Every structure is written in C-alpha cells, then in structure tokens.
Amino acid sequence: MSINSINPANGQVIQSYQTHTPKEVSTIIAGTHQAWENWKETPFSLRTKLLHAVAKILRNRKEELAILMALEMGKPLQGGRAEIEKCADVCEYYAKNAEQFLKDEPVHTDASKSYVSFQPLGIVLAIMPWNFPFWQVFRFLAPALMAGNAGVLKHASNVFGCAIEIENIIIEAGFPENLFRTLLIPGTEVDQVIENPLIQAITITGSTEAGKKVAAKAASLLKKSVLELGGSDPYLIFEDADLELAAESCVNSRLINSGQSCIAAKRFIVVKSIEKEFTELFRQKMAAKLMGDPMDKNTEIGPQARPDLRDELHKQVLKSIKLGAKCILGGEIPAGAHSFYPPTILTEVKKGMPAYEEELFGPVAAIISAANEEEAIQIANDTSFGLGAAVFTRDLKRGELIASHRLEAGSCFVNTLVRSDPRLPFGGIKQSGYGRELGLYGIREFVNVKTVYIK
C-alpha cells in the first residue's frame, strides 16, 4: 500500500510512500540485530566520534530539514531551525557524558569485588509522533546508540520524509549500516513489530490511548516500555506574580509548535484578584501572534498538522462554549483547504467541560478562576494527566515549595515555561505515562542493570 504526505497549509500531496511489507519489516529487523551484535562491542570513543558527526550534519542541513518539517507537518521555519539545533545539542550532550553515566558502579559487599554494570539490551523500537518529528526521535536515539543499542523507528505516517532523512543522517555520519532503520508502516501493523523476538524494548511518544495499547502489548510479551504521553499542563498565576512575565511566558508556552505540544501550557489557573488584569494582557499577546504560511519567515503559528486533528479541536471548543465557557478570542475555522486554527481563548472554564477535562492539542487556552492559592493547587492537580506544571509568583521560596512538593507532575517550573532539556530527566506520571527520557535517567532506561559479584 502507499501513504501520502500532505501539506497541511494547502492540502496538496507532497509525496507518496510505498509501505514495507511484513516480510520486508522482518528482514530489516534481522539486519538491525546483526548490526547490533557488532555495535555492542564498540568502544565509547567510536560512538562519541560518530554522534558528534551527527550533530555536525544536523547543523549543516538545518535549513533544508526545517523546510521539510514545514512542508510535512506545518512547523514554522523558525521553530524547525530551533528543533534541529536542539537535536544537535542532545547528540553532543550524550557524546560527552554517556561513558560517565554508564561506567561500572562499585558496591561494597562481602565479596572481593562487586559492582553494577550497565549493558545494552538490543533493538529498541521507537514509535514517534509528528509534532516534533526530529527532536522526539533524537532524544531517544542519541542515548540509545551511546548505550550500545540499535533502533528501529515507526514514525507518524504524515512525516515519513523526516523519518527517512533521520536514517540517512545516521548513515552519513558513519554509523554501521542497518544499526538504525525506519519502518514505513501504518499504525495498525505496530503490534507485529512488538511481537518480533528481536525487539527488546519499546519507547512511545503519543496520545494516552496509543500508549495504553502499546504498554499492554509490550507487557504481554514482558518487554520494557517507556511512555511519554498526553498532558494538560496547568500554569498557576498568583496575586504576587509579575503579570507581564507571566502573560508572556504563558502565551509562548501555549503556542509552542502552533499549540501542538504535550508540554505546552493548556490550563491557566488564575487567582481571582488578578484574573481580569492577567486575562487582558494574555488576550493582547495571543492576538498579536501572526498565523500564516509556515514557509514565511515572519509566521509564528502554522497550520495544525492534519484537518481531522483541527476539526476535533474545534469540537472541543464548541462543546466547552455550549457548556458555559466564553470565547474571547478566535474560535472560528478560517475558510479554505487547509488545517489552520487561530489562537483561541476560553474563559469561565469549569469542571465538566472539555477545556477543563481533556487535552486541547492546538492553540486554545483555557482560563480557570481560583479563589486563592489552595484552590489553584487543587484545580491544577484535578486532572488525569501529570506531565508538566508551572507556577508564577515573586516569592521564590513559595514557588519552589509548591513546585517540588504540591504539584503532581513530572516537571515543575517556577516563573518560566515548561520545556525539555537534555541535561534533565523528562517524563510524566498518571495518564501522562511512565519512565524518563534525557539526562542520566534517560540513558539508563534501556540497559541491563547487571550485578557482578566476585567471591
């Protein structure tokens, strides 16, 4: 069968890709396992050299890769360039630190020698989404390769061009042939890949429902999985917050990747005393953002990745309005054959509305009123998700205490927007998944933590 890549800015077909047959998939995985048998024995010095080469290629090809993302999933060029830079950064981070992260750890026991060793597992299957088509892959791939693993990628069907380019970059950098491969298959065939006995572990970034299915399948085969799933990040704005800083940070976070980010701010919980002032500042800044052609250098908000995703977002907005929310900006689909959705603000959002209960994966902000700090924290935690959260207050001790102890999320930030950093572990709790990527904890997810004991 064939799968089309469609430009979401104009609905035109970019390219058609022939999918791999089940037999071809099995052959690819067998080849990757064979490459891994040799790769796992390579010294860190070689792995480091090759990963630095990947970073150099990424930076050299930054403009063309940003254009590819703009065409395939609508990312504005400035966002695409930043994404490629971040991919290069994570490659350099693990090239520099992986050997230290994975060195043997001595443990004092009654043995003459005992220690913990970190050994590669084999092939890691990565099931990745379209919203950050390079970054999501490299934040798994850089530590996986440095740990001595191999990888196969099942990318989202609308970004097969990006998937192929990642494979080409790995080959161009000098990594062994077949060590990392892209599988051009629809999502319906993922289970068969997980069932392949040569696949040792699975990492997925995607929706909560997709994560549940992958986790269930992996668990049925006793295979390790890491899930980075949905989020409905709360941002708490207290009465003593710097409102200019808060509004700017909140808008920038809500509109990350045209609103299509798991860690974008989605629920803005504002204490009543400053709600009116914050809301007006927030509305002005949201309204000032330029939506348009992602190939235009001035564009800040591109289209949504697919028309069906845009339409589902609009349904959530309309249902929230029907249940009593007020739309003070946006909320209407522009005419034309495209996937655009404008910056939208809903106020008077209450429990029971989609804007309160569900993840709004697009440029739609939900403003929720809280009487005080305690109610704001209660509302923030009143969600099935737990990926990121932020709090805005001039009292840094207060902010730190709330971030570290009271907000239920995998990452909590004070006076700035939530974002991933190669140096820090990233992941969620509750319905946002389990396991961690990045930092020390990320590279140790897919290794055999092996005890060695010598009498």
Side-chain angles (χ1 to χ4, degrees):
M1 66 180 286
S2 62
I3 293 178
N4 290 335
S5 177
I6 298 173
N7 186 334
N10 55 29
Q12 296 179 358
V13 175
I14 303 165
Q15 191 163 340
S16 183
Y17 295 93
Q18 196 64 34
T19 58
H20 290 125
T21 66
K23 184 177 180 181
E24 287 172 330
V25 169
S26 295
T27 300
I28 288 170
I29 293 172
T32 300
H33 178 76
Q34 190 172 12
W36 172 71
E37 290 283 8
N38 294 319
W39 178 251
K40 67 180 180 179
E41 304 298 338
T42 57
F44 279 106
S45 58
L46 175 61
R47 301 176 195 176
T48 295
K49 177 184 175 183
L50 296 180
L51 205 55
H52 275 303
V54 170
K56 185 175 182 180
I57 293 167
L58 285 167
R59 290 199 170 97
N60 288 342
R61 296 182 58 193
K62 177 168 58 178
E63 196 65 22
E64 84 178 76
L65 298 176
I67 290 171
L68 177 59
M69 283 187 275
L71 291 172
E72 284 206 307
M73 51 72 59
K75 191 186 298 288
L77 288 176
Q78 55 183 311
R81 296 183 191 108
E83 180 169 336
I84 296 302
E85 280 290 343
K86 195 167 184 178
C87 292
D89 288 344
V90 79
C91 288
E92 291 172 341
Y93 173 77
Y94 279 111
K96 179 181 178 181
N97 294 292
E99 184 172 8
Q100 177 68 23
F101 288 160
L102 298 176
K103 75 175 185 178
D104 294 344
E105 290 185 353
V107 179
H108 180 69
T109 68
D110 54 357
S112 62
K113 185 179 184 182
S114 52
Y115 58 95
V116 180
S117 178
F118 303 96
Q119 299 299 317
L121 291 178
I123 303 175
V124 180
L125 166 64
I127 304 165
M128 292 292 145
W130 45 262
N131 58 336
F132 292 93
F134 281 83
W135 168 244
Q136 306 279 18
V137 177
F138 274 100
R139 76 182 189 194
F140 123 80
L141 187 56
L145 294 176
M146 286 302 298
N149 290 315
V152 291
L153 169 66
K154 189 289 174 211
H155 220 326
S157 299
N158 57 330
V159 290
F160 275 175
C162 293
I164 291 168
E165 284 309 308
I166 294 170
E167 182 177 321
N168 290 340
I169 289 167
I170 296 300
I171 292 296
E172 185 182 343
F175 280 91
E177 190 175 352
N178 295 321
L179 186 66
F180 172 75
R181 292 295 307 272
T182 283
L183 304 177
L184 301 182
I185 59 173
T188 52
E189 296 179 16
V190 165
D191 275 5
Q192 296 171 9
V193 180
I194 297 174
E195 289 169 2
N196 189 303
L198 298 178
I199 298 294
Q200 300 301 319
I202 302 95
T203 180
I204 176 173
T205 298
S207 70
T208 297
E209 288 309 308
K212 287 178 180 178
K213 291 176 183 176
V214 168
K217 187 64 178 180
S220 74
L221 298 163
L222 297 180
K223 295 186 179 184
K224 173 74 180 289
S225 61
V226 166
L227 314 179
E228 197 271 276
L229 309 178
S232 187
D233 286 13
Y235 277 37
L236 286 65
I237 299 94
F238 292 145
E239 71 287 341
D240 66 339
D242 178 333
L243 293 188
E244 178 66 30
L245 169 68
E248 185 72 19
S249 299
C250 289
V251 167
N252 289 339
S253 181
R254 176 58 286 202
L255 297 180
I256 291 170
N257 200 36
S258 306
Q260 303 166 113
S261 171
C262 51
I263 55 166
K266 299 187 175 92
R267 296 179 296 136
F268 302 90
I269 304 164
V270 191
V271 294
K272 194 74 176 174
S273 61
I274 47 95
E275 182 181 2
K276 185 176 180 180
E277 185 180 356
F278 171 82
T279 300
E280 180 53 28
L281 263 175
F282 186 75
R283 189 196 66 77
Q284 291 173 13
K285 292 177 182 294
M286 284 279 278
K289 296 296 183 179
L290 181 63
M291 181 176 74
D293 183 352
M295 299 293 284
D296 186 323
K297 62 182 177 64
N298 296 314
T299 294
E300 296 168 292
I301 304 167
Q304 303 300 281
R306 300 195 313 259
D308 61 305
L309 298 171
R310 186 270 315 274
D311 294 345
E312 181 59 34
L313 175 69
H314 190 51
K315 287 179 185 177
Q316 292 173 301
V317 170
L318 293 180
K319 187 175 180 181
S320 296
I321 293 171
K322 185 177 180 180
L323 291 171
K326 305 299 180 187
C327 183
I328 64 169
L329 182 70
E332 295 183 356
I333 297 176
H338 55 67
S339 301
F340 285 98
Y341 200 79
T344 297
I345 301 175
L346 299 176
T347 62
E348 299 184 35
V349 171
K350 302 284 195 302
K351 190 174 178 67
M353 299 177 182
Y356 186 103
E357 308 284 351
E358 301 171 9
E359 178 177 27
L360 301 183
F361 211 69
V364 179
I367 295 182
I368 304 170
S369 181
N372 50 41
E373 174 185 308
E374 284 304 311
E375 187 179 28
I377 294 170
Q378 183 274 319
I379 293 170
N381 292 334
D382 184 25
T383 175
S384 61
F385 297 107
L387 193 57
V391 54
F392 289 83
T393 172
R394 284 189 169 92
D395 185 340
L396 296 185
K397 285 188 178 180
R398 173 197 197 188
E400 182 180 355
L401 178 64
I402 292 168
S404 62
H405 286 82
R406 305 205 60 196
L407 292 176
E408 298 168 0
S411 297
C412 295
F413 285 51
V414 179
N415 291 336
T416 189
L417 56 86
V418 178
R419 54 191 174 274
S420 58
D421 184 312
R423 298 164 293 188
L424 295 169
F426 179 79
I429 60 173
K430 300 195 280 189
Q431 297 293 294
S432 290
Y434 54 71
R436 292 295 179 265
E437 297 179 294
L438 305 176
L440 166 67
Y441 296 93
I443 198 170
R444 289 187 177 180
E445 284 285 2
F446 295 124
V447 293
N448 174 13
V449 183
K450 179 188 288 186
T451 291
V452 180
Y453 183 102
I454 302 163
K455 188 173 180 181

